[in-house]
Each structure stands twice: as C-alpha cells, then as structure tokens.
Amino acid sequence: MNYFEIINKCLVELGYKQVSTFAELTKNDHKKLKNIINIINSTICRYDNWHFLIRKTTLVLPAGQTEVENTINGRIISMTIDNQEYDYLVNFADYTAQPIPQKHFTANGKNLIFPKFNEDKTVNITYYTKNTAVNADGTEKANLEYETDISLIPEPYVEPLLVYGACMRLKANPQHVKFSYWYGMYKENLADMKSQISISAKEVPFIKMHRR
C-alpha cells in the first residue's frame, strides 16, 4: 500500500472526504496528516530491531591505514575482517597507539578506526538502516514523500499501523469517540507484528504507549 493510499484510508477513517489525486492534498489537515504518517512510520521503524531493516555492505580499509570514513546510514550490528568479528570499543582511551586486536572505534561517528594491516582489507558490515521508505524505483529513502512511495513496514501490518496510528495522533484526544478503537487496533497490530516477524521465538511482545 503506497503513501497516497494510506492517506486516503486515513481520510475515510476520520470521516473526511477522499481525494482523487495526490495534488489535491493541500488543506491544513492534509498537510498535518502527511507529516503525522511519517512520524508514525519512523517511530515504528525505530521501535525495535526489526529484521526487515537489516542491511549488509562492505568498506575497504586501505593497507597501512587505520581509519575509514563511516558511510553507514544506520546502526551497525557487526563488522568482520577475514571472517573475524571486530567488537565495538566504547572507551577510546583504551584504544592506544597499539590498537587492540579485533576491536574498532568510532571517532565522533565520522570515521571507523581499526588496527593497521599490511594489505587492503574488506570490512563486511551488517547494520539496521535509518531509511523508512522506498520509492517506485526501489530506492530506499528517509521518509514517505511522493504518491507511490511505500513504507518499509511489511504487509499486512503497514496499513493498520499507519492508519490507526495517524488518526490517533491527529486527533490526540482520548475523549474522541473513536480514540480508544484506534489506540487498541494500533497496539494489537504492533504486538502482532512483533510476535509474527521476530527472528527469535523467545522474544515476547511488549508495547508501551505514551498519550499526549
């Protein structure tokens, strides 16, 4: 379900008139709804270590150098060189002039620091992407923006989570006649997604919501 379809679903749920084209979304409530859908989408993607956000890439550490630019758009899960995993070292003071084997350090989030090697090394990286959407060409992006953009949240969860979550956030009033319904459906679908697509069967769904 694309961005435009999600917006129209929200309009129906809110009792508003649907629009025929994306260009018609010009009213203040339309603009608020578009922004809120992105907030909900981003919140859900950041909510857990979802396997659908896991990506892999490689960087080259040149011979004789200890630093490589951190171009990873997300949170690093693991790094390996020559099939050896390099753990993250929190305290740079421990990373002396003689770097600790199989450790790496991030300098201000900009550079990744490793031990020095006599030959080029390939750094294999697994990470959680910061992107939350994908365009019609299959290119990932930070937010939903155009009509045909699609959330990275998988089906069948993307529709109820974004629609009920956005409606609940737009009205933001527990006294609203449908607020409890939206809140309950949002929680139920988030818990269901967590239980159904978690990598480990030992993971137990836990939902914590804050009302504003």
Side-chain angles (χ1 to χ4, degrees):
M1 178 166 285
N2 64 36
Y3 189 28
F4 182 52
E5 291 169 331
I6 290 291
I7 294 171
N8 260 333
K9 286 279 187 179
C10 289
L11 293 176
V12 170
E13 189 64 32
L14 290 163
Y16 296 166
K17 182 180 178 181
Q18 284 186 296
V19 295
S20 300
T21 66
F22 196 73
E24 294 178 63
L25 297 168
T26 57
K27 296 180 179 179
N28 284 337
D29 273 0
H30 292 159
K31 294 176 182 179
K32 289 179 182 178
L33 188 58
K34 289 164 71 175
N35 181 57
I36 287 172
I37 289 172
N38 268 296
I39 291 173
I40 298 297
N41 188 50
S42 179
T43 297
I44 293 170
C45 286
R46 302 288 178 267
Y47 172 77
D48 202 357
N49 293 330
W50 305 112
H51 72 77
F52 59 81
L53 298 179
I54 294 177
R55 304 289 182 268
K56 292 185 178 182
T57 191
T58 59
L59 295 175
V60 174
L61 178 64
Q65 296 188 24
T66 59
E67 295 189 24
V68 61
E69 182 182 359
N70 181 10
T71 58
I72 307 305
N73 182 35
R75 296 178 292 117
I76 295 172
I77 301 171
S78 67
M79 290 187 176
T80 61
I81 299 177
D82 295 336
N83 294 319
Q84 295 290 325
E85 185 165 350
Y86 279 66
D87 296 324
Y88 178 67
L89 189 64
V90 176
N91 189 358
F92 183 67
D94 294 335
Y95 205 88
T96 61
Q98 183 63 41
I100 303 171
Q102 296 180 20
K103 297 287 184 181
H104 79 274
F105 177 78
T106 302
N108 298 321
K110 297 180 179 179
N111 292 327
L112 301 172
I113 304 176
F114 295 92
K116 186 183 296 185
F117 295 94
N118 295 324
E119 57 186 14
D120 290 354
K121 291 292 182 180
T122 297
V123 184
N124 298 287
I125 301 170
T126 303
Y127 66 101
Y128 291 108
T129 181
K130 285 184 178 179
N131 290 322
T132 67
V134 61
N135 67 18
D137 295 328
T139 302
E140 291 188 2
K141 56 195 302 184
N143 295 297
L144 295 161
E145 183 180 8
Y146 300 111
E147 177 178 354
T148 55
D149 288 347
I150 296 174
S151 169
L152 291 180
I153 299 171
E155 297 286 357
Y157 307 104
V158 61
E159 178 185 344
L161 286 174
L162 295 190
V163 172
Y164 295 128
C167 290
M168 178 178 64
R169 179 105 180 208
L170 180 67
K171 292 305 179 181
N173 179 9
Q175 303 305 315
H176 188 281
V177 65
K178 297 190 73 173
F179 185 90
S180 295
Y181 171 71
W182 294 332
Y183 179 67
M185 292 299 292
Y186 178 85
K187 287 200 304 177
E188 179 181 324
N189 279 277
L190 186 57
D192 188 42
M193 183 172 76
K194 184 171 176 60
S195 65
Q196 293 298 322
I197 69 175
S198 294
I199 296 176
S200 172
K202 295 181 180 179
E203 294 184 31
V204 178
F206 176 76
I207 308 300
K208 186 175 182 179
M209 297 286 295
H210 297 280
R211 295 185 179 182
R212 293 189 175 186

